[in-house]
Amino acid sequence: MRAIVTDLHARLTAALSVPVLLPEERDVPAQAAPLDAQGRPMVGGGERGLGAYLRQHPQGYVQLEEPQGITASGAAETYWVPIGCVAPSAAASEALAREALRVTCGLATREPGYYTLAIPDSPRAFAGGAYLTRPTVSRTALGGQL
């Protein structure tokens, strides 16, 4: 359901100081090129891919995934959405995930969020010196509306 991705992207982009990538942007980090002193992509030389992307965004980034329909009962449909939090260290990845959950689920405050934590996660080594924490949030739509 695209409305969930759009809603999550808007909420996380407004609250976090890191890039929040849509599902169709999953290849952006892998295609990153090193930047020169003026911030322009360098031609040749230098590490490319995820390592270059994390050097450009040292606090990490959030990768939204496509919502997965879990249950349907009449007009109510429940979706799960994994939120990938990638950073150069396990501690930074976990901190980014906690902040994303605070924004989406209200876990760090007494205010409830618009989403519910469905599956917690802990950081694990990913690729190229990166760490991934991938909690999954849940959202129910009524009649296709959030």
Side-chain angles (χ1 to χ4, degrees):
M1 167 178 254
R2 190 63 188 187
I4 292 176
V5 170
T6 302
D7 182 63
L8 280 170
H9 187 264
R11 289 177 191 282
L12 292 170
T13 299
L16 302 177
S17 60
V18 300
V20 179
L21 304 178
L22 294 166
E24 60 270 18
E25 297 174 312
R26 71 183 151 275
D27 293 334
V28 169
Q31 296 170 351
L35 301 178
D36 64 15
Q38 287 77 36
R40 297 180 306 230
M42 290 174 44
V43 178
E47 183 181 2
R48 302 177 93 59
L50 181 59
Y53 193 77
L54 285 175
R55 268 194 305 292
Q56 295 165 22
H57 306 285
Q59 306 221 302
Y61 69 96
V62 172
Q63 175 66 64
L64 296 176
E65 297 183 28
E66 290 291 344
Q68 300 297 313
I70 300 301
T71 63
S73 176
E77 300 169 329
T78 300
Y79 293 86
W80 283 1
V81 184
I83 300 174
C85 300
V86 181
S89 72
S93 174
E94 187 172 37
L96 185 54
R98 273 195 313 273
E99 187 63 16
L101 290 173
R102 184 194 65 75
V103 171
T104 57
C105 302
L107 296 179
T109 66
R110 297 203 182 271
E111 297 288 322
Y114 292 95
Y115 295 81
T116 304
L117 178 61
I119 303 172
D121 197 26
S122 56
R124 59 189 168 280
F126 185 44
Y131 290 81
L132 170 68
T133 305
R134 190 174 171 254
T136 300
V137 296
S138 174
R139 178 78 189 253
T140 300
L142 297 174
Q145 301 295 314
L146 297 184

